[in-house]
Amino acid sequence: MQITFLGTSAGVPTRARNVSGVALRLPQRGETWLFDCGEGTQHQLQRTPIKISQITRIFITHLHGDHLFGLMGLLATCGLAGQGQEIHLYGPDGLEEYVRVCSRISRTTLSETLKIQTVEPGLVHHEEDFSVTCQPLKHRIPSFGYRVTERDRPGKFDVERAHALGIPPGPLYARLKNGERVELPDGRVVEGRELVGATLAGRSVVYCTDTIYCRGAVALSEGADALIHEATFAAEDEPLAVQSMHSTTVMAARVASEARVRQLFITHFSPRYTPDAQVTPEELLAQARAVFPRTDMARDLMTFEVPWRE
Amino acid sequence: MQITFLGTSAGVPTRARNVSGVALRLPQRGETWLFDCGEGTQHQLQRTPIKISQITRIFITHLHGDHLFGLMGLLATCGLAGQGQEIHLYGPDGLEEYVRVCSRISRTTLSETLKIQTVEPGLVHHEEDFSVTCQPLKHRIPSFGYRVTERDRPGKFDVERAHALGIPPGPLYARLKNGERVELPDGRVVEGRELVGATLAGRSVVYCTDTIYCRGAVALSEGADALIHEATFAAEDEPLAVQSMHSTTVMAARVASEARVRQLFITHFSPRYTPDAQVTPEELLAQARAVFPRTDMARDLMTFEVPWRE
């Protein structure tokens, strides 16, 4: 699982940061899932190794333009590519109307296999290797956070030990890997679980934006390997955050801390925090780290490989 | 009048060329007018000296996404700037519905002074210094070409000659500049028109896209100082042009030639014509120049100052 930030600015693009978009690459599936699609997301994708044809699922948090206005362009490009690419689109009520009206007026040929699903809190998507759930956040309009959870994997089979025990390679290995009790040709009995390491916990990535601090974000993020949380405002601008129902750096870090995540990425920064402003981007990061040290600041086109737990 | 190309690719953006958009700066008014607004137009504007707050009029040729999908983001940015900027938006039937539905669903705060006008062939806008007319083009959906015409200016007043004739500076100068016949204090009579040079013809810029070759484009472009005409396809790909109702390089040059324009810019190139393709961008330009030598190929962020006629 590899996270690539495509846009990290709030509201409007700047020269350095585009509006919201995050790509989650799932190399084992050859697929990329997209979270939000602000204007210029397809342009940003062209600056990464990700192919638009690999995008199979798009999750929209809410319908504000800086999270939405790149969607039609991306779908049009997929449609023009004409590969009959199957895309599943998820988001709040209103998303389907938006796509249908925009494509009717602009005569955009959508992929025939485009499926649009209005999300409700809970399970959004489930397949063998991954599941996706969502939770309502707290914003001026309905907004959802998403969590992608990888399934747990069986531990590693200790081939060397099996060899030392004189177990012949072949079908017996498969049974032992499954944790079965096996009788060897010489009569000895071996427990599979003794040869298999601890289960590898599946990794999880949570995306929470736009929202002010809320319990739903904490619940959704519980124990996540990577939490991407908006931090539109500096701590001293909390009144602005409350008024616009966005988070401060400290609110984002508080969610990470209470949910005991492994890694926090703050993103969605108000363009007011420029390197020569009174509050700089470095200061935003310092504010979050003071509450939750394992914080990084998202930058456009930054990529993070979510590590397995030891 | 200064033309800046913001996007010169057809259908989809490439690394080098964004989708359609042209800015026309009117320095004497401190205003910029925009023609089409593909996705990423506001991003491209950030790479020019043009301020989004200077945009007062936006003319949309047709409602295909590559000419339209940057409009909502641009209007949202204008709305967020909150300067109550008065914007006039012009385009085909369906444009107003598009803007209204998109802003309702995305809760985009539009400038209260946004005015949307559905265009009909003929005069679209008139003010003291400029007028704008439009003509239907020939495309798969209703599409309009626009022509901006500057008003003619009186010729230069010959101050030296007035001085030599012993005319005292002051109110008499103003009357002579207006071409009036004036009696001097010593009884001599002077014709103003003898002291005023030839009238300076107002400049004109025409924007024709998307369209296959059509008489309407020729009529609209008659004698223009600068014609911007789409040339999606190479001459040898005419069957594709006919099928999709786009122009070839030769069709664009033919319009320029028949309309006797001063300068042609071809734009809106299919992404298939890369520098390492069988037909290169250089070849496209050569094809157009073979028919109409005063042709240039538009590039993103290229600026052209429309010269006055001698």
Side-chain angles (χ1 to χ4, degrees):
Chain A
M1 292 171 105
Q2 203 177 58
I3 297 165
T4 299
F5 294 93
L6 301 171
T8 58
S9 176
V12 296
T14 68
R15 290 286 304 255
R17 297 179 183 274
N18 195 33
V19 284
S20 292
V22 165
L24 182 67
R25 297 178 75 181
L26 307 171
Q28 62 266 58
R29 296 185 57 89
E31 287 182 18
T32 294
W33 294 358
L34 211 59
F35 294 82
D36 284 337
C37 194
E39 182 183 356
T41 294
Q42 65 169 326
H43 301 67
Q44 292 288 80
L45 283 166
Q46 288 183 338
R47 302 169 66 195
T48 74
I50 300 168
K51 290 194 175 62
I52 284 181
S53 59
Q54 295 169 334
I55 295 172
T56 53
R57 294 179 200 277
I58 305 173
F59 301 88
I60 303 292
T61 58
H62 66 299
L63 301 180
H64 277 154
D66 59 325
H67 297 250
L68 179 66
F69 287 159
L71 180 61
M72 285 307 304
L74 183 70
L75 293 178
T77 296
C78 293
L80 281 176
Q83 295 158 338
Q85 182 177 352
E86 188 165 317
I87 294 183
H88 296 259
L89 180 58
Y90 306 85
D93 189 34
L95 178 62
E96 177 151 15
E97 182 192 3
Y98 174 80
V99 172
R100 297 296 172 206
V101 171
C102 288
S103 55
R104 170 174 58 77
I105 295 178
S106 65
R107 314 281 179 98
T108 300
T109 308
L110 297 173
S111 166
E112 281 173 24
T113 52
L114 176 71
K115 291 186 176 62
I116 306 178
Q117 182 179 325
T118 299
V119 297
E120 301 281 345
L123 189 68
V124 165
H125 168 67
H126 179 74
E127 59 188 75
E128 197 189 342
D129 290 342
F130 296 98
S131 63
V132 183
T133 55
C134 78
Q135 274 283 342
L137 302 174
K138 212 169 157 185
H139 194 43
R140 303 194 300 278
I141 63 172
S143 181
F144 291 89
Y146 292 95
R147 178 183 182 124
V148 179
T149 307
E150 200 176 27
R151 80 172 166 90
D152 296 343
R153 311 226 160 164
K156 207 175 164 186
F157 184 66
D158 191 340
V159 179
E160 283 185 16
R161 183 142 177 248
H163 193 74
L165 287 171
I167 306 171
L172 287 182
Y173 271 36
R175 291 177 56 199
L176 289 166
K177 277 182 190 172
N178 279 339
E180 291 177 31
R181 167 188 291 212
V182 165
E183 189 177 334
L184 302 183
D186 61 10
R188 283 179 297 155
V189 171
V190 182
E191 292 284 349
R193 63 172 184 273
E194 289 172 17
L195 292 173
V196 175
T199 298
L200 271 174
R203 295 164 294 176
S204 51
V205 173
V206 177
Y207 181 61
C208 286
T209 187
D210 289 355
T211 188
I212 193 168
Y213 170 88
C214 70
R215 297 290 313 155
V218 176
L220 186 69
S221 309
E222 184 62 39
D225 292 271
L227 166 62
I228 302 160
H229 197 290
E230 73 128 295
T232 310
F233 292 107
E236 51 266 61
D237 291 326
E238 188 176 312
L240 293 175
V242 171
Q243 188 194 333
S244 59
M245 299 187 78
H246 280 297
S247 292
T248 63
T249 49
V250 168
M251 290 179 193
R254 194 179 146 202
V255 171
S257 171
E258 293 177 3
R260 290 163 297 164
V261 306
R262 289 178 74 199
Q263 171 75 39
L264 168 65
F265 292 98
I266 52 174
T267 186
H268 199 268
F269 307 108
S270 164
R272 77 190 60 205
Y273 306 114
T274 56
D276 54 357
Q278 202 176 351
V279 179
T280 64
E282 287 66 34
E283 173 62 17
L284 297 180
L285 179 57
Q287 289 180 354
R289 281 188 172 163
V291 176
F292 189 78
R294 294 188 306 283
T295 302
D296 271 318
M297 166 169 262
R299 293 187 319 274
D300 280 28
L301 306 183
M302 183 170 105
T303 286
F304 176 72
E305 176 78 44
V306 184
W308 290 93
R309 293 184 187 234
E310 293 304 314
Chain B
M1 292 172 103
Q2 203 177 59
I3 297 165
T4 301
F5 294 93
L6 301 171
T8 58
S9 175
V12 297
T14 69
R15 289 288 303 257
R17 297 179 184 272
N18 195 32
V19 284
S20 292
V22 165
L24 182 66
R25 296 179 75 182
L26 306 172
Q28 62 267 57
R29 297 184 57 90
E31 287 183 18
T32 294
W33 295 358
L34 211 59
F35 294 83
D36 283 337
C37 195
E39 181 183 357
T41 294
Q42 65 169 325
H43 301 67
Q44 292 289 80
L45 282 167
Q46 289 183 339
R47 302 169 66 195
T48 75
I50 300 167
K51 290 194 175 64
I52 285 180
S53 60
Q54 294 169 336
I55 295 172
T56 54
R57 295 179 200 278
I58 305 173
F59 301 88
I60 303 293
T61 58
H62 67 299
L63 302 180
H64 277 154
D66 59 325
H67 297 251
L68 178 66
F69 288 158
L71 180 62
M72 285 306 304
L74 183 70
L75 294 177
T77 296
C78 293
L80 281 175
Q83 294 157 340
Q85 183 178 352
E86 189 165 317
I87 294 183
H88 296 259
L89 180 58
Y90 305 85
D93 189 35
L95 178 62
E96 176 151 16
E97 182 191 3
Y98 175 79
V99 172
R100 298 295 172 206
V101 171
C102 287
S103 56
R104 170 175 57 77
I105 294 178
S106 65
R107 313 282 179 96
T108 299
T109 307
L110 297 173
S111 167
E112 282 174 24
T113 52
L114 176 71
K115 290 186 176 62
I116 307 178
Q117 183 180 323
T118 300
V119 297
E120 302 282 347
L123 189 67
V124 165
H125 168 67
H126 179 74
E127 59 187 75
E128 197 189 342
D129 289 342
F130 296 98
S131 63
V132 183
T133 55
C134 78
Q135 275 284 343
L137 302 173
K138 212 168 157 186
H139 194 43
R140 303 195 300 278
I141 63 172
S143 182
F144 291 89
Y146 291 96
R147 178 182 182 125
V148 180
T149 306
E150 199 176 28
R151 78 172 166 90
D152 295 342
R153 309 224 163 168
K156 207 174 163 187
F157 184 66
D158 191 340
V159 179
E160 283 184 17
R161 186 146 173 244
H163 193 72
L165 287 170
I167 305 170
L172 287 181
Y173 270 35
R175 290 176 57 201
L176 289 165
K177 278 182 191 173
N178 280 339
E180 291 177 31
R181 166 188 293 212
V182 165
E183 190 178 333
L184 301 183
D186 61 10
R188 282 181 297 155
V189 171
V190 182
E191 291 285 350
R193 62 173 184 273
E194 289 171 16
L195 293 172
V196 175
T199 299
L200 271 174
R203 294 164 295 176
S204 51
V205 173
V206 177
Y207 181 62
C208 286
T209 186
D210 289 357
T211 188
I212 194 169
Y213 170 87
C214 69
R215 296 291 314 155
V218 176
L220 186 69
S221 308
E222 185 60 40
D225 292 272
L227 166 61
I228 302 160
H229 197 290
E230 73 128 294
T232 310
F233 291 106
E236 51 267 60
D237 291 326
E238 188 175 311
L240 294 176
V242 171
Q243 187 194 336
S244 59
M245 299 187 78
H246 280 296
S247 293
T248 63
T249 50
V250 168
M251 291 180 193
R254 194 178 145 201
V255 171
S257 171
E258 293 177 2
R260 290 165 297 164
V261 307
R262 289 178 74 201
Q263 171 74 40
L264 168 65
F265 292 98
I266 52 173
T267 186
H268 198 269
F269 307 108
S270 164
R272 77 190 61 205
Y273 306 114
T274 56
D276 53 357
Q278 201 176 352
V279 178
T280 64
E282 286 64 36
E283 173 61 17
L284 297 180
L285 179 57
Q287 290 179 353
R289 281 187 173 164
V291 176
F292 189 78
R294 294 187 306 283
T295 303
D296 271 318
M297 167 170 262
R299 293 187 319 274
D300 281 28
L301 306 183
M302 185 170 105
T303 286
F304 176 72
E305 176 79 43
V306 185
W308 289 93
R309 294 184 186 234
E310 292 305 314

